[in-house]
Amino acid sequence: MDYSIRICGEAGQGIQTVGDTLSRVFARNGYHVFTHQDYESRIRGGHNFYQVRIADRPLTAACDRIDILIAFDVESMEKDALFVAEQGQIIYDSTVLKQKPDGRKFLDIPFTSLAIEHGGSRIMANTVATGAILGLLGMDMDILFKIISDTFQKKGDDVIKANVAAAAAGYDFAVKGCASCSFSAAARAEQKMLIAGIDAIGVGALASGCKFYAAYPMTPSTGIMNYLAGKSQEFGIIVEQAEDEIAAINMALGASFGGVRAMTASSGGGFALMVEGLSLAAMTETPIVIGLGQRPGPATGFPTRTEQAELQFALYTAHGEFPRIIFAPGDPEQALYLTNKAFDLSEKYQVPAFVIFDQYLADTQWTYAGLDLNRLVYTDYRLRADSLSGLSEYKRHAYTETGVSPLAVPGQSRHIVVTDSDEHDEDGHLVEDAETRKKMVEKRLLRKMPLIQKEIAPPMLYGAADAEIVLVGWGSTYGVIKEAVDELSGKQSVAMLHFSEIFPFPGTDGFDFLGLLRNAKKTICIEQNAMGQFARLVRAETGFEFSAAINRYDGRPFTVENLLGELHGHIG
């Protein structure tokens, strides 16, 4: 069993509602689920889709093939119907589309009429469509009914009954109208967790003790703010929608200096405004976690689409030289743990830490049997009231062997905690002398960097260590490269090397991944950008050059078929 269901139409037609509901139904039935979205930057109109892939085995990527297409607009018939499999099915409402295509694949279901007849309102047409999908797959309706009951609990029994009736009407119509359909759902399994990449970053912040989050809304980073705002009362987090990104990062720095873990996030254009604050964090050695959601630029570019073109931006942005940490999770599970690691290392070494992602990872949903919360770490590295008041003296920027000075919380003892954005001495006061400047650069940068690099995990190897072909990726390409390796493994000697901890660039002490690359006959770096930014980083850090590159930069993610097609062009 491996089916792909695409819900297509204009923004405002309830595409996301149908997709979200189906995803939850499938996950609660125990199926493995992978979802992704494609939408335009507009509130209404345009052409959008929400795709749900379900299987009885783990899924990690989107595919082009469509098994069931729900077409809510004419454009869906013109564009998306082309991807429907030979035995696939297209369902639509001819009264809405004003057309009635003929052929075995097409099933005309009067979503709106059935909604009015059984539910009492045309707004329930989407509920009819959801029921129809379950009818095509021959799945039970009990979980959908439970979701309807939970969703509309506050609206009362009449609304619940109407939606249940509408869903049942769609289900029955599909069963009777598509007697020859060959879909067959696998047996139920243990219920699974369904989580999106952007929510996993929010959970990671929450689990790391984040108490202050400030941001200005910008796709695709806004989901972090939405998630944390929804949990703010339950977990005591202050979430501030700032007037702009300059204010956001400086608010977060103020909160961090004041003694709590703090985070901000934005996307390329917004992060550009944060650059002065990033330098301030570096000079004052104030811990901060920054979420950077990549989207195609320059300028506004494609606001709602995906790209991996801001790695160099994250690596080299800001003036002066200072250490920074960059993580790029490949799936929601990594997003959770790496956000946690970003908070830990940022505070441990008093440096800015980035979690960079893209629209694709932000919006995709994955299923898991569960996430191991025992892997999360929390150490309070700050000097607080009792431990601080017992010191005979305190210097915020004291020289140490590690370069890490004691991080005190101001206002909790007789000691004054001073820092300055100008070069400063150990007490935090402004200086101009060359000797202090030299010592401070060595403290902030040269002593910390080797220690931070030791904390960076090597890339993950998937497949044999002696593979002839090694596919290399970073961040959100993890899942699609993994499925490509699975597809090719029967015919080729192929493996994947995936980097999610990007900078400082991992060393080879624990895993000689450079030796693996040098021994391979062909190494292909796969990135969602035009210039090969990660390949450039590898060359700069190690001198290694990949033998080939596959770059996609049209704003759309790699799909399994698309990537395999590109790979066949390189390896036959």
Side-chain angles (χ1 to χ4, degrees):
M1 171 190 172
D2 183 350
Y3 296 133
S4 186
I5 302 159
R6 182 177 290 188
I7 305 105
C8 299
E10 298 178 356
Q13 288 187 306
I15 296 164
Q16 186 153 19
T17 301
V18 177
D20 277 343
T21 303
L22 286 171
S23 303
R24 285 189 286 161
V25 169
F26 296 143
R28 293 185 191 183
N29 269 290
Y31 302 134
H32 295 272
V33 178
F34 183 93
T35 78
H36 80 288
Q37 300 181 54
D38 183 287
Y39 51 96
E40 298 183 2
S41 178
R42 53 197 296 180
I43 303 300
R44 287 194 171 275
H47 181 65
N48 311 276
F49 70 75
Y50 190 118
Q51 190 156 320
V52 186
R53 188 178 171 201
I54 59 170
D56 51 3
R57 61 179 177 80
L59 298 169
T60 62
C63 63
D64 288 330
R65 185 200 74 250
I66 301 171
D67 295 290
I68 300 175
L69 174 67
I70 305 180
F72 283 132
D73 67 351
V74 173
E75 203 167 350
S76 304
M77 289 294 191
E78 297 171 350
K79 291 183 176 178
D80 302 280
L82 301 173
F83 296 97
V84 176
E86 185 63 30
Q87 297 302 314
Q89 198 69 44
I90 302 168
I91 62 175
Y92 69 103
D93 185 340
S94 61
T95 61
V96 175
L97 268 59
K98 310 298 183 189
Q99 61 176 245
K100 193 174 176 63
D102 291 326
R104 190 207 59 76
K105 288 184 180 179
F106 298 96
L107 177 61
D108 181 10
I109 300 180
F111 300 135
T112 304
S113 298
L114 288 173
I116 295 171
E117 181 181 348
H118 295 273
S121 170
R122 63 173 54 242
I123 201 172
M124 296 175 192
N126 290 332
T127 308
V128 174
T130 306
I133 293 294
L134 299 185
L136 290 177
L137 294 170
M139 293 176 59
D140 293 337
M141 295 280 280
D142 53 344
I143 291 177
L144 175 60
F145 292 158
K146 178 68 168 59
I147 290 173
I148 289 173
S149 178
D150 292 342
T151 303
F152 297 110
Q153 191 175 19
K154 291 183 180 178
K155 294 191 175 182
D157 289 342
D158 289 344
V159 173
I160 293 172
K161 288 178 181 176
N163 275 280
V164 166
Y171 185 97
D172 291 341
F173 196 99
V175 170
K176 293 172 184 172
C178 197
S180 61
C181 288
S182 58
F183 303 113
S184 176
R188 278 188 181 181
E190 191 74 22
Q191 177 175 304
K192 292 182 173 55
M193 169 193 289
L194 181 71
I195 186 168
I198 200 75
D199 290 340
I201 294 173
V203 175
L206 196 68
S208 302
C210 178
K211 291 297 179 186
F212 185 87
Y213 183 91
Y216 184 79
M218 193 170 184
T219 306
S221 63
T222 308
I224 303 173
M225 182 162 62
N226 293 340
Y227 181 86
L228 292 177
K231 304 293 181 185
S232 59
Q233 290 190 342
E234 187 179 355
F235 292 93
I237 305 173
I238 293 176
V239 177
E240 176 71 16
Q241 179 175 323
E243 63 266 35
D244 57 34
E245 289 84 355
I246 301 172
I249 191 170
N250 285 304
M251 285 181 182
L253 287 173
S256 180
F257 183 77
V260 299
R261 290 191 168 182
M263 181 178 184
T264 186
S266 189
S267 303
F271 176 61
L273 297 178
M274 292 184 176
V275 171
E276 180 70 21
L278 174 64
S279 293
L280 179 62
M283 176 56 97
T284 59
E285 300 180 85
T286 305
I288 187 170
V289 174
I290 301 169
L292 175 54
Q294 303 169 101
R295 66 189 207 187
T300 314
F302 270 166
T304 59
R305 302 196 184 278
T306 199
E307 199 165 75
Q308 291 182 307
E310 287 165 9
L311 175 60
Q312 300 285 330
F313 193 29
L315 277 166
Y316 305 120
T317 298
H319 46 283
E321 299 170 297
F322 59 87
R324 66 187 77 192
I325 299 167
I326 299 177
F327 296 140
D331 66 6
E333 186 176 31
Q334 290 183 17
L336 168 68
Y337 298 131
L338 290 180
T339 301
N340 176 244
K341 189 170 182 177
F343 272 97
D344 183 67
L345 295 187
S346 174
E347 190 170 282
K348 184 176 181 179
Y349 293 101
Q350 302 168 30
V351 299
F354 289 82
V355 178
I356 64 174
F357 55 97
D358 49 34
Q359 177 269 332
Y360 180 67
L361 177 65
D363 287 342
T364 53
Q365 295 181 102
W366 302 51
T367 44
Y368 297 94
L371 296 173
D372 183 6
L373 299 184
N374 292 322
R375 287 180 55 187
L376 299 172
V377 296
Y378 180 82
T379 302
D380 185 0
Y381 297 98
R382 297 174 191 259
L383 280 175
R384 297 188 185 274
D386 292 341
S387 55
L388 181 59
S389 60
L391 297 178
S392 58
E393 63 172 1
Y394 174 74
K395 297 181 181 212
R396 170 65 190 94
H397 297 288
Y399 301 131
T400 64
E401 280 296 315
T402 61
V404 179
S405 307
L407 179 62
V409 177
Q412 294 196 345
S413 78
R414 59 190 170 85
H415 296 298
I416 298 175
V417 182
V418 178
T419 191
D420 199 300
S421 64
D422 284 57
E423 189 57 272
H424 41 251
D425 60 16
E426 289 182 279
D427 290 315
H429 296 302
L430 184 153
V431 297
E432 291 285 350
D433 68 283
E435 184 180 356
T436 303
R437 164 66 181 179
K438 185 169 180 291
K439 284 185 177 179
M440 278 297 165
V441 171
E442 291 168 354
K443 182 190 105 61
R444 283 193 303 264
L445 177 62
L446 302 182
R447 293 187 185 180
K448 287 183 183 179
M449 279 294 280
L451 299 177
I452 297 173
Q453 188 183 37
K454 289 181 180 176
E455 306 259 12
I456 301 299
M460 186 194 76
L461 173 66
Y462 182 70
D466 59 351
E468 295 178 356
I469 302 166
V470 180
L471 311 180
V472 177
W474 63 282
S476 69
T477 54
Y478 161 76
V480 71
I481 299 176
K482 185 169 182 282
E483 287 213 22
V485 169
D486 290 338
E487 286 287 333
L488 295 170
S489 290
K491 305 168 187 171
Q492 306 272 3
S493 173
V494 60
M496 172 180 73
L497 206 55
H498 180 265
F499 291 75
S500 57
E501 304 195 21
I502 304 290
F503 196 82
F505 198 74
T508 56
D509 291 346
F511 171 28
D512 184 15
F513 58 88
L514 284 175
L516 184 150
L517 288 170
R518 288 177 178 132
N519 290 331
K521 291 182 179 177
K522 199 170 197 66
T523 55
I524 305 174
C525 190
I526 300 162
E527 300 187 63
Q528 289 261 180
N529 57 55
M531 298 295 288
Q533 296 192 11
F534 184 73
R536 186 183 301 176
L537 174 65
V538 173
R539 185 167 60 247
E541 293 287 333
T542 69
F544 180 81
E545 293 207 36
F546 295 98
S547 54
I550 295 176
N551 300 81
R552 183 165 191 176
Y553 42 90
D554 59 0
R556 276 70 177 175
F558 285 110
T559 61
V560 176
E561 298 93 333
N562 166 255
L563 181 56
L564 285 171
E566 294 278 351
L567 287 169
H568 286 311
H570 287 275
I571 62 179

